[in-house]
Amino acid sequence: MATKCTKCGPGYPTPLEAMKGPREEIVYLPCIYRNTGTEAPDYLATVDVDPKSPQYSQVIEASEIQAKCNVSNTHTSHCLASGEVMVNTLGDLQGNGKGSFVLLDGETFEVKGTWEKPGGASPMGYDFWYQPRHNVMVSTEWAAPNVFKDGFNPAHVEAGLYGSRIFVWDWQRHEIIQTLQMTDGLIPLEIRFLHDPSATQGFVGCALSSNIQRFYKNEEGTWSVEKVIQVPSKKVKGWMLPEMPGLITDILLSLDDRFLYFSNWLHGDIRQYDISNPQKPRLTGQIFLGGSIVRGGSVQVLEDQELTCQPEPLVVKGKRIPGGPQMIQLSLDGKRLYATTSLYSDWDKQFYPDLIREGSVMLQVDVDTVNGGLKLNPNFLVDFGKEPLGPALAHELRYPGGDCSSDIWI
């Protein structure tokens, strides 16, 4: 890691050493007011997650976010060993699909240019992960911003306007060398290499098809992909379609590469899988944190391959939780999993109107790292519906000094 970057975090030499780091005390979350009826700038919330603190599970600071460059629909950011920061885009300034990568100065955040060769952007973008040890970067695609910006339209799926590919890039040449067309892999969103920098495989969560696919380097030295987990859709009544997918919106891996976690935003559950054998993940934990199929709601489940009854609504500290688990973040030691409930405000408005009216929440799940298992912490709730300017929608969770979904070892 370059000298510039060593000032930004503890600089753990390996993922296993990072697991021994200090317990997280604060978490950063970008928050928005779009579609909530409040006219206010986006902001960065700092949440106290130290159980010894008198401000535990409270927003302790809110800082306005200022635009740094005129780039449309940015998503993922990663630090590079050069000291630069790379940010990818989902579209161009007109809202058309464009998977580009913008380089920022690691100290001033000034735009230095694009990472890929001129004219070499992927047709669409969403998330990315790189591994210089294997001279490779992988990226995913959602859809053009003009397609998803006003909500989900099933006709757009039929028209082929949503992504189903992984792009494999040559890290040194900055160009696409393979396009992996997935079988039954609609809307691949979050993608993660194993944390071990010598590993040549990882996982991607496909939202609409509700499955996890493993990408890996094959015997020929090129890259392949295969489905390893499938979440069955539920036949329902009282919803926009006769079948409801889980809608996998976020995934992450523990730093020891033992467990895979993902969230089903529509069904409302978070799952934990043992990936000691990456080709055959084994379900070891599951917890429902709201969702669209809770008992007493507007949706009736007619046929369910997994559950015998609809889950109960989640109530924490007297508050019934609107929405379902969306973005997730794991503590370095793997023992605490945090979740927020907002996906994208126009989709929130469509699928969870209560979320728009009440604001999102942040929850904590305690993790059994020995035998596997997930259990809600009933003492932790950050209610963004109580923000001073009105209900807000909190999204990604990040720790100062690095975390399980942003740190990359080389």
Side-chain angles (χ1 to χ4, degrees):
M1 183 175 286
T3 303
K4 287 183 180 179
C5 289
T6 58
K7 301 176 183 178
C8 305
Y12 301 109
T14 68
L16 295 182
E17 284 298 315
M19 293 188 75
K20 303 174 186 176
R23 176 176 173 143
E24 67 283 357
E25 295 183 348
I26 60 173
V27 175
Y28 298 127
L29 304 92
C31 300
I32 68 167
Y33 286 108
R34 176 178 161 82
N35 284 323
T36 65
T38 299
E39 296 295 330
D42 297 348
Y43 67 98
L44 185 70
T46 303
V47 171
D48 190 326
V49 295
D50 180 2
K52 299 188 297 293
S53 169
Q55 296 174 305
Y56 178 58
S57 80
Q58 296 179 28
V59 177
I60 57 176
E61 184 177 355
S63 304
E64 183 178 330
I65 298 175
Q66 301 289 338
K68 296 294 183 182
C69 59
N70 190 26
V71 178
S72 171
N73 300 285
T74 58
H75 184 261
T76 302
S77 62
H78 282 299
C79 291
L80 308 186
S82 62
E84 298 166 310
V85 175
M86 189 156 80
V87 182
N88 74 324
T89 71
L90 280 66
D92 61 19
L93 292 176
Q94 291 73 46
N96 304 306
K98 185 178 182 181
S100 182
F101 302 88
V102 179
L103 291 174
L104 309 178
D105 183 279
E107 292 186 343
T108 66
F109 293 102
E110 294 180 359
V111 177
K112 300 180 69 174
T114 57
W115 175 84
E116 76 277 4
K117 289 184 175 180
S122 59
M124 294 184 282
Y126 187 76
D127 192 27
F128 73 99
W129 196 279
Y130 66 88
Q131 186 40 262
R133 187 176 293 195
H134 305 295
N135 190 37
V136 70
M137 182 176 80
V138 288
S139 66
T140 60
E141 55 179 7
W142 182 5
N146 286 336
V147 172
F148 62 73
K149 68 177 183 178
D150 294 323
F152 176 68
N153 184 345
H156 290 159
V157 180
E158 297 295 326
L161 299 182
Y162 280 99
S164 60
R165 297 166 294 185
I166 297 174
F167 302 100
V168 182
W169 302 74
D170 185 295
W171 182 247
Q172 293 182 344
R173 301 205 310 264
H174 301 193
E175 61 185 11
I176 296 173
I177 54 174
Q178 262 190 279
T179 299
L180 302 179
Q181 176 64 59
M182 287 181 287
T183 302
D184 188 26
L186 277 174
I187 311 186
L189 295 183
E190 309 292 345
I191 192 164
R192 309 279 185 256
F193 255 99
L194 294 184
H195 290 288
D196 179 355
S198 65
T200 54
Q201 60 182 321
F203 298 90
V204 59
C206 299
L208 191 57
S209 54
S210 299
N211 55 47
I212 301 292
Q213 308 232 3
R214 181 180 78 101
F215 63 91
Y216 61 97
K217 197 170 188 178
N218 56 43
E219 294 180 355
E220 287 73 36
T222 57
W223 296 83
S224 300
V225 63
E226 63 176 356
K227 182 168 68 173
V228 291
I229 299 172
Q230 178 66 58
V231 176
S233 295
K234 302 180 189 298
K235 292 186 179 180
V236 296
K237 181 180 179 181
W239 198 62
M240 65 181 298
L241 296 171
E243 292 195 7
M244 180 189 292
L247 206 74
I248 298 173
T249 52
D250 197 12
I251 71 169
L252 59 78
L253 304 175
S254 59
L255 287 176
D256 57 4
D257 292 331
R258 182 185 171 194
F259 291 114
L260 163 72
Y261 299 86
F262 65 81
S263 54
N264 286 307
W265 188 60
L266 289 178
H267 287 178
D269 60 313
I270 292 177
R271 302 190 183 200
Q272 175 198 51
Y273 282 80
D274 186 311
I275 53 170
S276 301
N277 180 352
Q279 294 179 268
K280 294 183 179 180
R282 180 174 59 88
L283 181 64
T284 50
Q286 182 180 25
I287 187 171
F288 279 85
L289 303 176
S292 296
I293 61 167
V294 294
R295 185 176 298 184
S298 60
V299 176
Q300 179 185 357
V301 178
L302 304 176
E303 184 177 320
D304 195 325
Q305 298 180 36
E306 297 181 313
L307 303 177
T308 57
C309 62
Q310 294 180 228
E312 295 292 334
L314 178 65
V315 178
V316 181
K317 290 189 171 183
K319 177 180 176 60
R320 177 167 170 161
I321 303 302
Q326 204 283 101
M327 298 307 294
I328 54 178
Q329 186 57 263
L330 189 67
S331 60
L332 297 183
D333 62 9
K335 295 181 179 180
R336 292 165 300 285
L337 185 72
Y338 299 98
T340 55
T341 52
S342 170
L343 171 61
Y344 177 71
S345 64
D346 289 281
W347 288 41
D348 294 347
K349 181 173 63 175
Q350 182 178 8
F351 293 106
Y352 291 116
D354 289 347
L355 191 62
I356 293 293
R357 291 190 294 268
E358 299 180 30
S360 64
V361 301
M362 175 180 168
L363 302 168
Q364 181 188 321
V365 175
D366 294 327
V367 179
D368 184 338
T369 58
V370 178
N371 303 306
L374 304 173
K375 183 180 180 181
L376 179 71
N377 180 342
N379 300 314
F380 187 97
L381 171 68
V382 183
D383 185 354
F384 289 92
K386 295 182 178 179
E387 287 295 87
L389 297 180
L393 302 173
H395 195 59
E396 281 190 295
L397 306 109
R398 290 286 181 263
Y399 305 143
D403 48 57
C404 291
S405 55
S406 62
D407 274 13
I408 296 175
W409 277 265
I410 57 176

